[in-house]
Amino acid sequence: MRTAYKVRVYPTSHQAAVLNRTFGCVRLAWNKVLAWRHARYHTQGVKTSYAETDRYLTALKREPEHGFLSEVSSVPLQQALRHQYTAFVNFFAGRTRYPRYKSRHGKQSATYTRSAFRWRDGRLHLGKMDGPLMFVWSWPDIDVTTLNPTTVTISRDPDGRWYASLAVETNAEPEPLPATGRAVGVDLGVKDFAVTSDGERIRNPRHLERKARNLARYQRRMARKQRGSNNRAKAKAKVARTHAKVRDARRDFLHKAGTRLVRDHDVIAIEDLNVRGMVRNRSLARAISECGWGEFRRLLEYKCERYGRRLVVIDRWHPTSKTCSACGHLLAGLSLSTRHWTCPTCRTRHDRDINAAKNILAAGQAVSACGADVRHSGSSRVRSAVKQEAQSARTGIPRL
C-alpha cells in the first residue's frame, strides 16, 4: 500500500535559501518547457514526449544565461518535466484542463526521488544541502526510523510555512473496522453541512464567514501598500495566514466529520453533486465553495477504502427531495425555500433534508443489492419513484 506523511519542516536560513533557489529553477524549467511545447505543437502540429523535454532541458542548462540551473539538484527539474508530461496526458484524455504557467506568488514545491535525498535513522538529507532538514513527527505510534520514503516533496505555502510530504510503500494493510450493521444516507447542504437519514444534523461551521471581517481589513491594508515594497509583502503574508487558518479549520472539520461517519456505519450513501455547475449561481457560489463538498467526498472515498467500509454514490438526477420517503409519491416541483412539505398521498409531514437523506439511503441500498432502481417495502400501492407520473406539489397541508 502506498501512503504519505505530511510533516512540518523548519529549515535553517541557508537551507531555506537553497530551497528557494530550487523552487525558482523548477518554476523556470516548467515555464520554459511549457512555452516550447506549446509553440512546437501550434507551429509543427506534433506532440512532445518526456525524452524530448529532457533533452531540451539539457540544452537549456548549457546556455550561459541559464547556467544557474546546474547549481541546484537536477532531480526536482526532471520531476517537474514528468509532472508536466502527466498533466498533458490527463488534458488530452479530458480529465483536466490545459496546464498553466507557474507563478512565484503561489505555493512552491519541489519533488526529490531516492537518488536526490538520503534517509538515515529518521533524518532527511537533501541533495546539495548541508546538514539534515529538521521536521516535526506527529505520529507517535509509528517509528520514524523504520520508514523508507520513495519520494520527498518539499513545499512552501504563501503564508511562509514549510512542509515535507514523505511517500512510503508499505506491506502492512490497515485493519478493517469492526462491522456495525448500520447504513446511513447523507444529504449535503449549505445551512446544515450534512443531514443524515437518522435525523442527525451536522452544523456548517462557516469558517470563512467568521474570518471575513478580519480578512477584508487585511486586504484593504495590503491594497494601500506600494507594489514591490517590503510592507506590501508583510501585509500579503498576513492575508495568506488568514486564508491558511480558514483552510486548516475546514480541513480539520471535514476529516473529523468523515471519520465519524466511517467509524459508525458500514455503508454510506451520498449524492453525486455537480459542484462545478452549482457554483455558477452567483448568489450561492461563495457559500457552496466554503462547504468543501468535493473534498469531503474525496476523504470519504479513501477512508472507506482504507477501513473496509462501502461508499455508494447515487445519480445526481435522482429526485431525493421531491420524493416521499414513506410512500414514494413524486412531486412535480419543490422550491428551494420550501423546507417542510406534506405528502398529498399519505399525509406524511417531511423535513426536506431528512427526507432527502432517507431517499439517498434507499437508493444506495438498492444499488448495493442489485444495481436497480429504488424499491420500497410495505404497501402494495408503492411504486418506483422515477416511474411515477409527476403531480402538483402542495405544501403546508396539515396532517390528518
Side-chain angles (χ1 to χ4, degrees):
M1 184 184 70
R2 185 178 177 87
T3 185
Y5 299 95
K6 188 174 182 179
V7 297
R8 184 79 180 272
V9 173
Y10 297 90
T12 63
S13 58
H14 175 70
Q15 292 173 340
V18 174
L19 290 174
N20 285 326
R21 190 158 59 247
T22 303
F23 293 155
C25 293
V26 168
R27 188 173 60 247
L28 176 67
W30 173 285
N31 293 341
K32 286 285 186 180
V33 173
L34 180 60
W36 174 69
R37 184 195 296 265
H38 180 82
R40 191 165 181 257
Y41 179 79
H42 284 275
T43 56
Q44 304 177 21
V46 295
K47 295 182 180 180
T48 306
S49 65
Y50 166 74
E52 292 173 325
T53 60
D54 196 17
R55 289 192 292 269
Y56 179 80
L57 177 62
T58 302
L60 202 64
K61 290 181 179 181
R62 293 172 180 171
E63 298 178 0
E65 60 270 22
H66 297 125
F68 58 87
L69 292 176
S70 301
E71 298 176 0
V72 300
S73 176
S74 62
V75 173
L77 306 183
Q78 295 170 346
Q79 287 298 112
L81 301 187
R82 290 190 178 95
H83 295 164
Q84 186 178 114
Y85 177 76
T86 303
F88 270 98
V89 170
N90 293 331
F91 167 72
F92 287 116
R95 291 188 291 266
T96 58
R97 59 183 176 181
Y98 192 84
R100 297 179 297 175
Y101 293 99
K102 290 186 179 294
S103 171
R104 64 184 302 176
H105 300 293
K107 179 180 178 180
Q108 308 295 317
S109 65
T111 302
Y112 296 79
T113 59
R114 282 178 173 171
S115 60
F117 73 89
R118 186 174 73 255
W119 183 269
R120 182 176 299 172
D121 297 330
R123 307 183 74 181
L124 176 62
H125 299 259
L126 296 178
K128 295 196 176 183
M129 185 178 296
D130 296 334
L133 194 61
M134 192 183 83
F135 61 88
V136 176
W137 188 251
S138 304
W139 293 268
D141 56 331
I142 299 177
D143 187 4
V144 66
T145 60
T146 61
L147 297 181
N148 185 21
T150 57
T151 60
V152 174
T153 301
I154 307 296
S155 60
R156 190 196 68 215
D157 284 352
D159 59 347
R161 294 183 296 180
W162 297 79
Y163 294 96
S165 296
L166 311 176
V168 180
E169 294 284 353
T170 177
N171 296 326
E173 293 289 339
E175 297 183 2
L177 295 174
T180 62
R182 300 175 58 191
V184 69
V186 181
D187 178 61
L188 301 178
V190 175
K191 182 179 179 181
D192 294 311
F193 174 77
V195 178
T196 68
S197 55
D198 301 330
E200 179 188 1
R201 295 180 180 272
I202 301 177
R203 185 180 62 86
N204 186 359
R206 300 180 183 271
H207 299 289
L208 181 60
E209 185 176 318
R210 290 188 296 174
K211 294 284 186 179
R213 186 173 180 180
N214 288 338
L215 182 60
R217 184 170 68 252
Y218 296 150
Q219 288 174 330
R220 287 195 298 269
R221 291 177 181 175
M222 184 184 70
R224 289 193 290 265
K225 301 296 187 294
Q226 184 177 357
R227 290 184 178 273
S229 64
N230 291 333
N231 286 335
R232 184 179 177 87
K234 295 176 184 178
K236 188 175 182 179
K238 186 168 290 188
V239 172
R241 283 194 293 269
T242 305
H243 278 294
K245 290 180 181 179
V246 174
R247 183 175 63 252
D248 293 343
R250 182 187 298 118
R251 186 184 296 115
D252 180 72
F253 165 76
L254 295 178
H255 269 289
K256 290 179 179 178
T259 301
R260 187 161 62 86
L261 287 174
V262 171
R263 185 181 60 244
D264 297 341
H265 304 90
D266 293 339
V267 179
I268 303 173
I270 60 174
E271 281 185 297
D272 180 25
L273 297 177
N274 182 18
V275 181
R276 180 178 297 181
M278 297 171 70
V279 295
R280 293 175 183 173
N281 185 340
R282 298 181 62 183
S283 301
L284 297 175
R286 182 173 179 176
I288 293 174
S289 300
E290 184 182 357
C291 291
W293 293 337
E295 178 70 9
F296 184 66
R297 173 176 170 177
R298 188 189 68 83
L299 294 177
L300 282 180
E301 287 177 348
Y302 93 79
K303 289 178 185 291
C304 288
E305 181 181 359
R306 185 168 186 173
Y307 296 109
R309 303 306 198 195
R310 182 169 186 185
L311 179 66
V312 181
V313 182
I314 69 170
D315 183 25
R316 67 180 59 171
W317 303 112
H318 197 283
T320 55
S321 299
K322 299 187 294 183
T323 303
C324 175
S325 58
C327 70
H329 178 83
L330 178 63
L331 299 179
L334 188 66
S335 64
L336 189 61
S337 59
T338 303
R339 310 312 302 174
H340 297 83
W341 60 279
T342 300
C343 177
T345 302
C346 66
R347 301 298 183 181
T348 302
R349 182 73 171 172
H350 291 295
D351 178 278
R352 177 196 184 101
D353 299 328
I354 297 178
N355 176 69
K358 291 180 179 179
N359 288 324
I360 292 173
L361 174 60
Q365 291 174 333
V367 171
S368 300
C370 58
D373 192 14
V374 179
R375 305 291 181 185
H376 297 266
S377 60
S379 174
S380 59
R381 67 179 177 175
V382 179
R383 295 172 293 170
S384 174
V386 297
K387 295 181 180 179
Q388 294 192 59
E389 182 180 357
Q391 300 183 23
S392 59
R394 290 186 290 172
T395 60
I397 303 177
R399 183 175 182 180
L400 300 179

